Amino acid sequence: MNAATDSRAARDDYYRRIAPQQLTPLWESMAALVPEQPRSPAVPHLWRYDDLRPALLESGALITAREAVRRVLILENPGLAGSSAITQSMYAGLQLILPGEVAPSHRHTQTALRLIVEGDGAYTAVDGERVTMRRGDFIITPGWTWHDHGSDADQPVVWLDGLDIPLVRFFDCGFAENLGTDTQPVVRPEGDSLARYGATLMPLDFEPRHAASPLFAYPYERSRDTLARLARGGVPDACHGYKLQFTNPATGGPAMPTIGAFIQLLPQGFVGAGYRSTDGTVFHVIEGRGDYRLDDGTFTFGPRDTFVVPSWVRHRLHASEDTVLFSFSDRPVQRALSLWREQRDA
Ligand code: 1HN
């Protein structure tokens, strides 16, 4: 027996003997515990809306929104099977509500966002105010605020949900409760928060009720117009085209404390430079077509598709038409903890 096999056998024997004491040797796992750079188990993936839409609509005949509480198909990352996660920290799903249905009021410590994918005329109520949802609108549900959804539309309405579920699970700080009624009392008229907080004006007596934006609905009409004006007036970023962050107007910071949300315009013919960042990011195509190129493959996207780029995976965005992408990630958390990094090829 040579020295190497002898030490291997001796070490394995040692590991077996210490295991019952819940002890393991750091030197066997050090490189994996402290990698030289992120190597996410999450993988890039694209969900083509036209392909999944039949299954989503079929769920409408299987269960009501009331029985389901939320009738959602989870977009689970193929590299994170069983976790209900699309990145290590974020959850995403597509929610269906049919004409006349109600998704009953509840609240939880998880923060949620919605991006309306298909159909106009459903509504969501958040913290005493109702807003009608239209395609492309961005809506937030701050943690621990009552929220319920309903639909007066004459067709199915679908939106993308993004929540910080894996992050809250990691910290073991999830709480939830049902209001016990379908809908919460609506105490302010529709459009109230947009008027108060969405017009570069703030009430003098404004006191934050939580860390998230007091403006809870960001109409697509406005963000689309802003992007169009930016594109007329300036030069696109080499990696991102024209990209903006949804902000909390009271702070200028991100709209939610745990989730960063962004919207960007890639003009027709845009060929983005390589980019990677430590915040694994979920993209949703509001309009347009293009592809994102990875070092080892290309995904082609069209309207209403959703795709994910994990942490530190280099990618380049190309647009064959004027394209508007919505995206979200855990960037505010990483930045608050001084962990966030990015690398640009240009
Ligand atoms: C939730 O409350 C909603 O309010 C959507 O629409 C998805 C996933 C897990 C837990 C709560 C919603 C959710 C959720």
Side-chain angles (χ1 to χ4, degrees):
M1 205 185 277
N2 64 41
T5 42
D6 191 33
S7 75
R8 184 77 255 162
R11 288 174 188 177
D12 286 345
D13 175 65
Y14 170 75
Y15 303 155
R16 264 193 304 279
R17 284 185 286 110
I18 65 172
Q21 297 178 74
Q22 308 308 316
L23 297 170
T24 62
L26 171 62
W27 59 88
E28 291 288 347
S29 52
M30 189 127 188
L33 291 179
V34 188
E36 283 178 14
Q37 50 179 284
R39 283 188 312 245
S40 181
V43 296
H45 191 77
L46 180 139
W47 288 263
R48 214 172 295 288
Y49 189 69
D50 290 345
D51 293 347
L52 65 80
R53 187 177 184 274
L56 183 59
L57 291 187
E58 194 183 334
S59 74
L62 282 181
I63 190 164
T64 63
R66 182 180 275 107
E67 192 194 345
V69 182
R70 299 295 185 258
R71 192 205 289 115
V72 179
L73 292 183
I74 299 171
L75 307 181
E76 187 179 71
N77 191 294
L80 305 173
S83 68
S84 302
I86 190 163
T87 67
Q88 289 274 52
S89 60
M90 293 290 134
Y91 155 107
L94 287 168
Q95 181 159 175
L96 170 69
I97 192 154
L98 295 173
E101 284 196 314
V102 175
S105 205
H106 69 184
R107 63 178 178 177
H108 36 71
T109 47
Q110 291 83 357
T111 292
L113 65 83
R114 335 269 169 209
L115 195 285
I116 316 312
V117 174
E118 173 181 341
D120 293 338
Y123 56 84
T124 184
V126 177
D127 213 8
E129 188 177 330
R130 192 182 262 202
V131 65
T132 302
M133 298 164 145
R134 294 189 183 80
R135 188 162 140 64
D137 289 353
F138 167 65
I139 295 170
I140 67 167
T141 307
W144 210 241
T145 53
W146 296 110
H147 55 285
D148 44 85
H149 321 299
S151 179
D152 297 328
D154 54 9
Q155 78 288 324
V157 174
V158 175
W159 62 80
L160 175 71
D161 285 314
L163 286 92
D164 55 6
I165 288 173
L167 188 73
V168 172
R169 181 168 59 203
F170 174 80
F171 287 122
D172 281 336
C173 54
F175 293 87
E177 61 186 27
N178 293 315
L179 185 58
T181 56
D182 278 353
T183 54
Q184 63 184 298
V186 172
V187 298
R188 285 184 302 280
E190 179 156 3
D192 190 80
S193 83
L194 191 62
R196 277 177 206 271
Y197 313 114
T200 68
L201 298 165
M202 287 298 279
L204 294 186
D205 59 355
F206 174 72
E207 291 286 349
R209 292 156 61 83
H210 43 62
S213 170
L215 178 64
F216 75 102
Y218 299 71
Y220 184 53
E221 200 180 11
R222 285 199 185 183
S223 354
R224 185 69 184 85
D225 181 63
T226 303
L227 289 171
R229 285 171 197 275
L230 273 181
R232 280 200 291 276
V235 191
D237 177 86
C239 301
H240 307 303
Y242 302 92
K243 186 167 182 176
L244 301 167
Q245 179 170 204
F246 289 100
T247 58
N248 175 344
T251 64
M256 297 160 283
T258 53
I259 313 179
F262 310 88
I263 191 163
Q264 73 201 98
L265 171 67
L266 310 175
Q268 181 173 20
F270 181 77
V271 177
Y275 180 80
R276 59 180 176 175
S277 61
T278 52
D279 53 326
T281 303
V282 179
F283 290 88
H284 178 79
V285 185
I286 303 180
E287 52 180 282
R289 291 181 184 281
D291 53 68
Y292 69 109
R293 301 186 182 191
L294 309 161
D295 291 342
D296 56 357
T298 295
F299 289 88
T300 301
F301 58 73
R304 300 184 166 95
D305 292 348
T306 303
F307 59 92
V308 57
V309 180
S311 169
W312 216 237
V313 171
R314 180 182 286 105
H315 58 285
R316 288 172 290 143
L317 292 168
H318 290 202
S320 51
E321 301 172 4
D322 279 354
T323 294
V324 181
L325 301 178
F326 168 78
S327 58
F328 69 92
S329 75
D330 61 14
R331 189 177 304 186
V333 180
Q334 294 198 21
R335 295 198 78 149
L337 303 177
S338 296
L339 290 168
W340 186 74
R341 289 196 196 189
E342 66 177 343
Q343 191 178 71
R344 305 168 55 102
D345 291 348

